[in-house]
Coordinates of all heavy atoms in Angstrom, one line a residue:
A1 N -2.3 7.1 -7.5 CA -2.9 8.4 -7.0 C -2.0 9.1 -6.0 O -1.7 10.3 -6.1 CB -4.3 8.2 -6.4
N2 N -1.4 8.3 -5.1 CA -0.5 8.9 -4.1 C 0.7 9.4 -4.8 O 1.2 10.5 -4.5 CB 0.0 7.8 -3.1 CG -1.0 7.5 -2.0 OD1 -1.9 8.3 -1.8 ND2 -0.8 6.5 -1.3
N3 N 1.3 8.7 -5.8 CA 2.5 9.1 -6.5 C 2.2 10.4 -7.3 O 3.0 11.3 -7.4 CB 3.0 8.0 -7.4 CG 3.5 6.9 -6.6 OD1 3.8 7.0 -5.4 ND2 3.6 5.7 -7.2
N4 N 1.0 10.5 -7.8 CA 0.6 11.7 -8.5 C 0.5 12.9 -7.6 O 0.8 14.1 -8.0 CB -0.7 11.5 -9.3 CG -0.5 11.1 -10.7 OD1 -0.4 11.9 -11.6 ND2 -0.3 9.7 -10.9
M5 N 0.0 12.7 -6.4 CA 0.0 13.8 -5.4 C 1.4 14.2 -5.0 O 1.6 15.4 -4.8 CB -0.8 13.3 -4.2 CG -2.3 13.2 -4.5 SD -3.4 13.0 -3.1 CE -2.9 11.3 -2.6
I6 N 2.3 13.2 -4.9 CA 3.7 13.6 -4.6 C 4.3 14.5 -5.7 O 5.0 15.5 -5.5 CB 4.6 12.3 -4.4 CG1 4.1 11.6 -3.1 CG2 6.1 12.7 -4.3 CD1 4.7 10.2 -2.9
I7 N 4.0 14.1 -7.0 CA 4.4 14.9 -8.1 C 3.9 16.3 -8.0 O 4.7 17.3 -8.3 CB 4.0 14.2 -9.4 CG1 4.7 12.9 -9.6 CG2 4.2 15.1 -10.6 CD1 4.2 12.0 -10.7
R8 N 2.7 16.5 -7.6 CA 2.1 17.8 -7.5 C 2.5 18.6 -6.3 O 2.4 19.8 -6.3 CB 0.6 17.7 -7.7 CG 0.2 17.4 -9.1 CD -1.3 16.9 -9.2 NE -1.7 16.7 -10.5 CZ -1.4 15.7 -11.3 NH1 -0.6 14.7 -10.8 NH2 -1.8 15.6 -12.5
A9 N 2.9 17.9 -5.2 CA 3.2 18.6 -4.0 C 4.5 19.4 -4.1 O 5.4 19.1 -5.0 CB 3.4 17.6 -2.9
D10 N 4.7 20.4 -3.3 CA 5.9 21.1 -3.2 C 7.0 20.4 -2.5 O 8.2 20.5 -2.8 CB 5.7 22.5 -2.6 CG 4.7 23.3 -3.4 OD1 4.9 23.5 -4.6 OD2 3.7 23.8 -2.8
E11 N 6.7 19.7 -1.4 CA 7.6 19.0 -0.5 C 7.0 17.7 -0.1 O 5.8 17.5 -0.1 CB 8.0 19.9 0.7 CG 8.6 21.2 0.4 CD 9.0 22.0 1.7 OE1 8.8 21.4 2.8 OE2 9.4 23.1 1.5
L12 N 7.9 16.8 0.5 CA 7.5 15.6 1.1 C 7.9 15.7 2.6 O 9.1 16.0 2.8 CB 8.2 14.4 0.4 CG 7.8 13.0 1.0 CD1 6.4 12.6 0.5 CD2 8.8 12.0 0.7
W13 N 7.0 15.5 3.5 CA 7.3 15.5 4.9 C 7.0 14.1 5.4 O 5.9 13.5 5.2 CB 6.4 16.5 5.7 CG 6.7 17.9 5.4 CD1 7.5 18.5 4.5 CD2 6.1 19.0 6.1 NE1 7.5 19.8 4.6 CE2 6.7 20.2 5.6 CE3 5.2 19.1 7.1 CZ2 6.3 21.5 6.0 CZ3 4.8 20.4 7.6 CH2 5.4 21.6 7.0
V14 N 8.0 13.5 6.0 CA 8.0 12.1 6.4 C 7.9 12.1 7.9 O 8.6 12.7 8.7 CB 9.3 11.4 6.0 CG1 9.3 9.9 6.5 CG2 9.5 11.5 4.5
F15 N 6.9 11.3 8.4 CA 6.6 11.2 9.8 C 6.9 9.8 10.3 O 6.3 8.8 9.8 CB 5.2 11.6 10.1 CG 4.9 13.1 9.8 CD1 4.6 13.5 8.5 CD2 5.0 14.0 10.8 CE1 4.4 14.8 8.3 CE2 4.8 15.4 10.6 CZ 4.5 15.8 9.3
G16 N 7.7 9.7 11.4 CA 7.9 8.4 12.0 C 8.8 7.5 11.2 O 9.4 7.8 10.2
P17 N 8.9 6.2 11.7 CA 9.8 5.2 11.1 C 9.3 5.0 9.6 O 8.2 5.0 9.3 CB 9.6 4.0 11.9 CG 9.1 4.5 13.2 CD 8.3 5.7 12.9
I18 N 10.3 4.8 8.8 CA 10.1 4.6 7.3 C 9.8 3.2 7.0 O 10.5 2.3 7.3 CB 11.3 5.1 6.6 CG1 11.6 6.6 6.8 CG2 11.2 4.8 5.1 CD1 12.9 7.2 6.3
S19 N 8.6 3.0 6.3 CA 8.2 1.7 5.8 C 8.7 1.6 4.3 O 9.2 2.5 3.8 CB 6.7 1.6 5.8 OG 6.1 2.5 5.0
N20 N 8.5 0.4 3.7 CA 8.8 0.2 2.3 C 8.1 1.2 1.4 O 8.7 1.8 0.5 CB 8.5 -1.2 1.9 CG 9.5 -2.2 2.4 OD1 10.7 -2.0 2.3 ND2 9.1 -3.3 3.0
G21 N 6.8 1.4 1.7 CA 6.0 2.3 0.8 C 6.5 3.8 1.0 O 6.6 4.5 0.0
V22 N 6.8 4.2 2.2 CA 7.4 5.5 2.5 C 8.7 5.7 1.8 O 9.1 6.7 1.3 CB 7.4 5.8 4.0 CG1 8.1 7.2 4.3 CG2 5.9 5.9 4.5
L23 N 9.5 4.6 1.9 CA 10.9 4.7 1.3 C 10.7 5.0 -0.2 O 11.4 5.8 -0.8 CB 11.6 3.4 1.5 CG 13.0 3.2 0.9 CD1 13.9 4.3 1.4 CD2 13.6 1.9 1.1
F24 N 9.8 4.3 -0.9 CA 9.5 4.6 -2.3 C 9.1 6.0 -2.5 O 9.6 6.7 -3.5 CB 8.5 3.6 -2.9 CG 8.2 3.9 -4.3 CD1 8.9 3.3 -5.3 CD2 7.1 4.7 -4.7 CE1 8.7 3.6 -6.7 CE2 6.9 5.0 -6.0 CZ 7.6 4.4 -7.0
E25 N 8.2 6.5 -1.7 CA 7.8 7.9 -1.8 C 9.0 8.9 -1.6 O 9.0 9.9 -2.3 CB 6.7 8.2 -0.8 CG 5.4 7.4 -1.1 CD 4.4 7.4 0.1 OE1 4.7 7.7 1.2 OE2 3.3 7.0 -0.2
I26 N 9.9 8.6 -0.7 CA 11.0 9.5 -0.5 C 11.9 9.4 -1.8 O 12.4 10.5 -2.3 CB 11.9 9.0 0.7 CG1 11.1 9.2 2.0 CG2 13.2 9.7 0.8 CD1 11.7 8.5 3.2
Q27 N 12.1 8.2 -2.3 CA 13.0 8.1 -3.5 C 12.3 8.9 -4.7 O 13.0 9.5 -5.4 CB 13.2 6.6 -3.8 CG 14.0 5.9 -2.8 CD 14.0 4.4 -2.9 OE1 13.0 3.8 -3.4 NE2 15.1 3.8 -2.5
L28 N 11.0 8.8 -4.8 CA 10.3 9.5 -5.9 C 10.5 11.0 -5.7 O 10.8 11.7 -6.6 CB 8.8 9.1 -5.9 CG 8.0 9.9 -6.9 CD1 8.5 9.7 -8.4 CD2 6.5 9.5 -6.8
A29 N 10.3 11.5 -4.5 CA 10.4 12.9 -4.2 C 11.8 13.4 -4.5 O 12.0 14.5 -5.1 CB 10.0 13.2 -2.8
M30 N 12.8 12.6 -4.1 CA 14.2 13.0 -4.3 C 14.5 13.0 -5.8 O 15.2 13.9 -6.3 CB 15.1 12.1 -3.5 CG 15.0 12.3 -2.0 SD 16.0 11.2 -1.1 CE 17.6 12.0 -1.2
Q31 N 14.0 12.0 -6.5 CA 14.2 12.0 -7.9 C 13.6 13.2 -8.6 O 14.2 13.7 -9.6 CB 13.5 10.7 -8.4 CG 13.8 10.3 -9.8 CD 13.2 8.9 -10.1 OE1 12.1 8.5 -9.5 NE2 13.8 8.2 -11.0
L32 N 12.5 13.7 -8.1 CA 11.9 14.9 -8.7 C 12.5 16.2 -8.2 O 12.1 17.3 -8.5 CB 10.4 14.9 -8.3 CG 9.6 13.7 -8.9 CD1 8.2 13.6 -8.3 CD2 9.5 13.9 -10.4
G33 N 13.5 16.1 -7.3 CA 14.2 17.3 -6.8 C 13.4 18.0 -5.7 O 13.6 19.2 -5.5
K34 N 12.5 17.3 -5.0 CA 11.7 18.0 -4.0 C 12.4 17.9 -2.6 O 13.1 17.0 -2.4 CB 10.3 17.3 -3.9 CG 9.6 17.4 -5.2 CD 8.1 17.1 -5.1 CE 7.4 17.1 -6.4 NZ 7.0 18.4 -6.9
A35 N 12.1 18.9 -1.8 CA 12.6 18.9 -0.5 C 12.0 17.8 0.3 O 10.8 17.5 0.2 CB 12.4 20.2 0.2
V36 N 12.7 17.0 1.1 CA 12.2 16.0 2.0 C 12.6 16.3 3.4 O 13.8 16.6 3.7 CB 12.8 14.6 1.6 CG1 12.3 13.5 2.5 CG2 12.5 14.3 0.1
R37 N 11.6 16.3 4.3 CA 11.9 16.7 5.7 C 11.4 15.6 6.5 O 10.4 14.9 6.2 CB 11.1 18.0 6.0 CG 11.5 19.1 5.0 CD 11.0 20.4 5.5 NE 11.1 21.5 4.4 CZ 12.2 22.0 4.1 NH1 13.4 21.7 4.6 NH2 12.3 23.0 3.1
F38 N 12.0 15.4 7.7 CA 11.7 14.3 8.6 C 11.2 14.7 9.9 O 11.8 15.7 10.5 CB 12.9 13.4 8.7 CG 13.4 12.8 7.4 CD1 14.3 13.4 6.6 CD2 12.8 11.6 6.9 CE1 14.7 12.9 5.4 CE2 13.2 11.1 5.7 CZ 14.2 11.7 5.0
F39 N 10.2 14.0 10.5 CA 9.7 14.4 11.8 C 9.4 13.1 12.6 O 9.1 12.1 12.1 CB 8.3 15.1 11.6 CG 8.4 16.3 10.8 CD1 8.3 16.3 9.4 CD2 8.6 17.6 11.4 CE1 8.3 17.5 8.7 CE2 8.7 18.7 10.7 CZ 8.6 18.7 9.3
S40 N 9.5 13.3 13.9 CA 9.1 12.2 14.8 C 7.6 12.2 14.9 O 7.0 13.2 14.4 CB 9.7 12.5 16.2 OG 9.3 13.7 16.8
V41 N 7.0 11.3 15.5 CA 5.6 11.2 15.7 C 5.2 10.4 16.9 O 6.0 9.6 17.4 CB 4.9 10.6 14.4 CG1 5.1 9.1 14.3 CG2 3.5 11.0 14.3
G42 N 4.1 10.7 17.5 CA 3.6 10.0 18.6 C 2.1 10.2 18.8 O 1.5 10.8 17.9
P43 N 1.6 9.8 19.9 CA 0.1 10.0 20.1 C -0.3 11.4 20.5 O -1.5 11.7 20.5 CB -0.2 9.0 21.3 CG 1.1 8.9 22.0 CD 2.2 9.0 21.0
R44 N 0.6 12.3 20.7 CA 0.3 13.7 21.1 C 0.9 14.6 20.1 O 2.0 14.4 19.5 CB 0.7 14.0 22.5 CG 0.2 13.2 23.6 CD 0.9 13.4 24.9 NE 2.3 13.3 24.7 CZ 3.2 14.1 25.3 NH1 2.8 15.0 26.1 NH2 4.5 13.9 25.1

């Protein structure tokens, strides 16, 4: 279901350190030619 949402999304925005699952999502988005953007994250 997550992968299908990535397929339908216009872009992938990545927040915080990359886990194995997020790495796969980045690779999928890049394979699909989607823009991938990165952001820091914290409690505020």
Side-chain angles (χ1 to χ4, degrees):
N2 280 346
N3 294 339
N4 269 268
M5 290 188 291
I6 292 168
I7 291 166
R8 287 167 174 75
D10 298 307
E11 297 182 7
L12 182 81
W13 289 8
V14 179
F15 293 85
I18 297 171
S19 65
N20 284 313
V22 172
L23 180 60
F24 178 84
E25 293 166 345
I26 293 167
Q27 291 168 331
L28 175 61
M30 291 175 80
Q31 193 175 26
L32 296 168
K34 300 198 184 272
V36 179
R37 306 186 192 289
F38 298 92
F39 300 89
S40 61
V41 73
R44 301 171 307 139

